[in-house]
Amino acid sequence: MLMKSAPRIVLYGRHSTSLQTATSSEDQTASCMKLVDYLNGTVVATFLDPEVSGYKRNRPGLKQLLRLIENGEADMVVCESLDRLARDAEDVAWLGKKLPFHSVQLHTLTEGHIDEVKFGVAALMGTIFLKNLTDKTLRGMEAAVLAGRIAGGRSYGYCTRKIYDKDGERIRGYLDITPAKASVVQRIFRDFASGLSAYDIAKALNEEGVPSPRGQQWNASTIRGDPKKFTGILNNPLYVGRLIWGRRKWRRDPDSENRERRYVMRDQSLWLEMEVPDLRIIDDALWEAVHAEIKCRQRPTSANSPAGSKRKKHLLSGLIKCSTCGSNYTISGKDYYRCAGEKERGTCGNKLSVRKGALEQAAMAVLQHHLFTEDHAKIFHGDLQPRGGEDHRQSGRSRSGIEKPPWGD
């Protein structure tokens, strides 16, 4: 009589934020050991993703787990609950297909054995849970704004005010003006109204060692921003005592590997605006003077580049570094790459601009010279040939299955 070997089990743990215990993911896998004993299995690997959102499919630990499964080195996955592996309904459904395809079972402490039905129910319940959570969060934020509190985001020139209720619980959303930073804001507005460019202002602040909102160097874009989206120092209505909430709606990009969040502007009729005079830093006259300057300096929008259109990526975006300061070389105008340190911050003396077309052609020529060799062609051919034969056999079997159904003629 053949003895059935113990199933090979992979443990997985994940927690989302630093507010949870640092060992939360490890604690999850430790608590799964009783289930491992019940399944009479042997743990062959443990993968953890501490402080990583369940919306990200490219988590390091999850990628290693899936690679091990694809290599046929596991029979079961065990975790605390299904939402440790995935929260998004699409990801849950994807795992519901991927694991059975590799003959791998999923068991959790909370739900037990996860079969096809439970995968479907979990995807539905996850969608409902997230919708309810989003609605409750937005209601709470709206209530805070109506009470004159800040519902989210941080603006340069302010610090949080610590207020507690009668039970000692922190009441969030109150700000105080920081005098030193407020004077920087006033200086930026005055300089821009007097005719200086955002680049000139950023360069002067950097030369004086004034920290930017993120504690680093100032960029011209940090000051200039986008008037239509109310971004940038010059376009923040909080500086004139107006709190505007609900301008943007965040969405997760389904085509992004990291489920990156991107926003779209909501209709202005849906915005919520409140007066917060205690947070005023700029007077109305200076605000109007700055925005008259912004309007005068705006370039007409090209018919081929409508306002709000997404900036396209170029072939070498993020790949070229300045040899002087180490900053990225970014697109300047239409056809040139320039050092961002010189272009945006004025902190680099490298004023060399490189024509985009010539640089991209040179880069491709180098790749062609080093990659398109006889040795690389042999490696590629040797790697592809067995797969091609297997694909051909699989295709033949597939066609055969179509031509001759299993139930006969």
Side-chain angles (χ1 to χ4, degrees), residues 212-401:
S212 73
R214 295 189 178 182
Q216 299 172 347
Q217 293 180 325
W218 289 85
N219 288 321
S221 56
T222 304
I223 295 170
R224 181 177 56 243
D226 186 339
K228 294 180 180 178
K229 296 179 180 178
F230 290 84
T231 59
I233 296 287
L234 296 175
N235 304 301
N236 190 345
L238 198 58
Y239 294 140
V240 284
R242 287 191 292 128
L243 171 59
I244 300 178
W245 178 80
R247 303 189 304 265
R248 300 178 289 188
K249 182 176 182 179
W250 290 92
R251 295 175 178 172
R252 292 191 181 275
D253 184 357
D255 295 325
S256 168
E257 188 178 10
N258 287 332
R259 297 294 193 274
E260 294 173 353
R261 291 202 316 158
R262 294 178 179 172
Y263 68 81
V264 294
M265 299 301 293
R266 301 173 73 202
D267 187 271
Q268 195 164 348
S269 63
L270 301 174
W271 297 2
L272 187 61
E273 183 173 339
M274 297 292 295
E275 295 293 328
V276 282
D278 292 344
L279 299 180
R280 178 188 283 271
I281 293 176
I282 302 298
D283 61 51
D284 290 334
L286 183 53
W287 175 269
E288 295 297 333
V290 162
H291 282 267
E293 277 290 318
I294 291 174
K295 192 172 182 180
C296 287
R297 300 185 199 182
Q298 279 179 341
R299 297 176 182 175
T301 304
S302 168
N304 298 325
S305 303
S309 62
K310 229 170 141 186
R311 235 177 143 176
K312 66 178 181 178
K313 275 197 168 186
H314 298 271
L315 179 64
L316 300 177
S317 293
L319 298 178
I320 315 171
K321 299 289 183 181
C322 173
S323 61
T324 302
C325 70
S327 298
N328 284 333
Y329 250 62
T330 58
I331 285 293
S332 176
K334 185 179 179 182
D335 296 317
Y336 287 88
Y337 285 101
R338 273 176 64 194
C339 170
E342 191 277 330
K343 173 190 170 188
E344 284 286 324
R345 298 183 287 276
T347 55
C348 179
N350 181 6
K351 299 182 181 295
L352 176 66
S353 296
V354 184
R355 187 177 288 277
K356 178 169 73 80
L359 185 58
E360 291 176 351
Q361 286 179 8
M364 293 304 295
V366 171
L367 288 174
Q368 184 176 2
H369 175 72
H370 287 283
L371 291 180
F372 297 166
T373 65
E374 185 176 350
D375 289 340
H376 285 128
K378 288 178 180 178
I379 294 172
F380 177 75
H381 181 265
D383 184 59
L384 185 65
Q385 192 172 24
R387 295 185 184 182
E390 179 61 27
D391 290 344
H392 180 73
R393 288 192 292 274
Q394 291 282 0
S395 176
R397 284 196 290 269
S398 176
R399 288 195 299 271
S400 176

Side-chain angles (χ1 to χ4, degrees), residues 50-297:
E51 298 181 23
V52 182
S53 169
Y55 293 107
K56 294 184 178 181
R57 191 183 288 186
N58 70 334
R59 288 165 265 155
L62 180 61
K63 288 173 71 174
Q64 291 177 312
L65 181 150
L66 294 174
R67 193 177 302 120
L68 185 143
I69 288 172
E70 290 165 356
N71 292 336
E73 299 174 18
D75 304 306
M76 293 181 182
V77 175
V78 171
C79 57
E80 184 182 55
S81 60
L82 180 55
D83 62 10
R84 297 302 91 198
L85 276 174
R87 279 195 175 275
D88 185 80
E90 181 183 347
D91 288 348
V92 173
W94 173 69
L95 284 170
K97 294 178 181 179
K98 188 170 185 65
L99 296 184
F101 177 79
H102 293 286
S103 301
V104 173
Q105 296 181 11
L106 173 62
H107 293 262
T108 72
L109 287 175
T110 305
E111 300 96 350
H113 176 223
I114 308 294
D115 56 17
E116 291 84 352
V117 174
K118 287 184 179 179
F119 267 114
V121 172
L124 175 62
M125 295 302 295
T127 301
I128 295 173
F129 169 79
L130 291 174
K131 179 65 170 63
N132 290 338
L133 180 62
T134 300
D135 291 344
K136 289 178 182 177
T137 302
L138 290 175
R139 281 199 299 271
M141 294 172 74
E142 184 175 352
V145 172
L146 290 172
R149 307 202 319 263
I150 306 300
R154 288 178 291 180
S155 293
Y156 181 78
Y158 303 97
C159 61
T160 57
R161 184 193 307 171
K162 295 183 178 179
I163 300 178
Y164 300 88
D165 62 18
K166 60 181 181 180
D167 298 320
E169 291 291 327
R170 173 86 177 274
I171 303 175
R172 300 183 183 276
Y174 288 101
L175 299 179
D176 285 320
I177 295 174
T178 304
K181 292 181 179 179
S183 65
V184 175
V185 173
Q186 292 167 345
R187 168 186 170 177
I188 290 171
F189 272 77
R190 287 196 301 268
D191 287 349
F192 192 86
S194 66
L196 290 181
S197 68
Y199 169 82
D200 292 332
I201 298 170
K203 182 178 179 181
L205 291 171
N206 288 329
E207 288 175 349
E208 295 171 25
V210 178
S212 73
R214 295 189 178 182
Q216 299 172 347
Q217 293 180 325
W218 289 85
N219 288 321
S221 56
T222 304
I223 295 170
R224 181 177 56 243
D226 186 339
K228 294 180 180 178
K229 296 179 180 178
F230 290 84
T231 59
I233 296 287
L234 296 175
N235 304 301
N236 190 345
L238 198 58
Y239 294 140
V240 284
R242 287 191 292 128
L243 171 59
I244 300 178
W245 178 80
R247 303 189 304 265
R248 300 178 289 188
K249 182 176 182 179
W250 290 92
R251 295 175 178 172
R252 292 191 181 275
D253 184 357
D255 295 325
S256 168
E257 188 178 10
N258 287 332
R259 297 294 193 274
E260 294 173 353
R261 291 202 316 158
R262 294 178 179 172
Y263 68 81
V264 294
M265 299 301 293
R266 301 173 73 202
D267 187 271
Q268 195 164 348
S269 63
L270 301 174
W271 297 2
L272 187 61
E273 183 173 339
M274 297 292 295
E275 295 293 328
V276 282
D278 292 344
L279 299 180
R280 178 188 283 271
I281 293 176
I282 302 298
D283 61 51
D284 290 334
L286 183 53
W287 175 269
E288 295 297 333
V290 162
H291 282 267
E293 277 290 318
I294 291 174
K295 192 172 182 180
C296 287
R297 300 185 199 182

